[in-house]
Amino acid sequence: MSEPTQEPQRLRVVVADDQAAVREPLAAVLGLSEDIDVVAAAADGSEVLTAVAAGPVDVVLMDLRMPVMDGIETTRRLGEEYPDVAVVVLTTFADDDSILGALGAGARGYLTKNAGRQDITRAIRAAAAGQSVLDREVQDRLLATVRTKAPEQKQILPGNLTPREREVFTLIGQGLPNRGIAEKLFVSEATVKTHINNLFAKAGIRDRADAVRRAIEAGLA
């Protein structure tokens, strides 16, 4: 007798946006995804923290400009109090302060509100898996910002990275997910994960978003 098919784990998501006209339709659309449950909709950062405390929550889809507590401060608080909860920023703002502030606070993904439903759900799934997805506009802006800094501000990578780890680092900096890196290098995703774990440990990298910044700062992207 065959074993029953196990249903994929559903991701528990909080949608945060101060505008009900954005928040409610977005929550409804995401709720149509077969692997996403929108467990709460929040109008500000304080409501996000309340929803996460009531949990469990896997991912917060976070607007940046909100009253009471903005998205950057909320992301920072989540990182301190609920480190297992991933944050994906969804905002109209793609300026340097917003991007660097959100990623520095610990956001794993950053999308502008031009993103479609597939882009958003992909970013949510990636964040839940510990990966990062950056909007192309955001990635280009981040790249331009870092490259305008003085050379002495670039972060030096440890010398014990293998050539393959440097290749993987470069492709992370270009925004490729694990599957894309595996296809590019003609290896398995499991092998890519091993390389990523090794280089993160050697370089003291926190997460995927941090890796993107570091790869750009090191001139690898």
Side-chain angles (χ1 to χ4, degrees), residues 129-186:
Q131 301 173 12
S132 176
V133 173
L134 302 179
D135 188 289
R136 172 55 62 180
E137 177 186 355
V138 170
Q139 186 172 320
D140 289 345
R141 185 65 180 257
L142 183 60
L143 180 63
T145 299
V146 173
R147 284 181 173 170
T148 59
K149 293 184 178 181
E152 59 269 18
Q153 291 181 308
K154 291 185 177 181
Q155 196 139 2
I156 303 301
L157 292 174
N160 61 341
L161 292 186
T162 66
R164 181 63 88 187
E165 288 166 357
R166 291 181 70 87
E167 284 183 294
V168 171
F169 212 167
T170 299
L171 295 174
I172 289 175
Q174 294 173 2
L176 269 67
N178 286 6
R179 179 176 298 180
I181 294 173
E183 292 173 353
K184 189 86 171 178
L185 299 180
F186 302 102

Side-chain angles (χ1 to χ4, degrees), residues 12 52 56-60 77-87 108 127-130:
R12 296 154 299 202
V52 172
V57 172
D58 298 303
V59 180
V60 176
R77 287 279 300 275
L78 288 173
E80 295 171 352
E81 299 174 25
Y82 306 95
D84 292 335
V85 176
V87 173
R108 290 187 189 167

Side-chain angles (χ1 to χ4, degrees), residues 12-220:
R12 296 154 299 202
V13 176
V14 172
V15 174
D17 196 294
D18 65 325
Q19 297 183 28
V22 174
R23 181 176 68 247
E24 294 173 4
L26 181 57
V29 168
L30 290 177
L32 298 176
S33 301
E34 62 180 10
D35 61 341
I36 292 176
D37 286 328
V38 177
V39 296
D44 58 55
S46 178
E47 291 186 9
V48 170
L49 294 177
T50 298
V52 172
V57 172
D58 298 303
V59 180
V60 176
L61 190 62
M62 185 84 72
D63 188 22
L64 289 186
R65 306 295 171 87
M66 297 185 294
V68 183
M69 184 185 299
D70 66 22
I72 292 177
E73 177 59 25
T74 306
T75 299
R76 185 175 293 109
R77 287 279 300 275
L78 288 173
E80 295 171 352
E81 299 174 25
Y82 306 95
D84 292 335
V85 176
V87 173
V88 174
V89 170
L90 181 65
T91 181
T92 56
F93 301 98
D95 59 281
D96 295 349
D97 289 344
S98 296
I99 295 170
L100 296 175
L103 295 179
R108 290 187 189 167
Y110 198 113
L111 304 176
T112 65
K113 289 184 178 176
N114 293 325
R117 175 188 166 189
Q118 289 187 338
D119 296 323
I120 297 171
T121 55
R122 181 168 62 94
I124 288 172
R125 294 176 187 125
Q131 301 173 12
S132 176
V133 173
L134 302 179
D135 188 289
R136 172 55 62 180
E137 177 186 355
V138 170
Q139 186 172 320
D140 289 345
R141 185 65 180 257
L142 183 60
L143 180 63
T145 299
V146 173
R147 284 181 173 170
T148 59
K149 293 184 178 181
E152 59 269 18
Q153 291 181 308
K154 291 185 177 181
Q155 196 139 2
I156 303 301
L157 292 174
N160 61 341
L161 292 186
T162 66
R164 181 63 88 187
E165 288 166 357
R166 291 181 70 87
E167 284 183 294
V168 171
F169 212 167
T170 299
L171 295 174
I172 289 175
Q174 294 173 2
L176 269 67
N178 286 6
R179 179 176 298 180
I181 294 173
E183 292 173 353
K184 189 86 171 178
L185 299 180
F186 302 102
V187 298
S188 69
E189 285 190 62
T191 298
V192 171
K193 289 180 182 178
T194 298
H195 288 312
I196 290 174
N197 289 337
N198 289 340
L199 71 87
F200 277 26
K202 290 178 181 179
I205 296 172
R206 297 190 309 273
D207 52 35
R208 194 90 171 198
D210 188 30
V212 171
R213 293 195 301 272
R214 295 278 294 275
I216 293 172
E217 289 172 357
L220 294 179

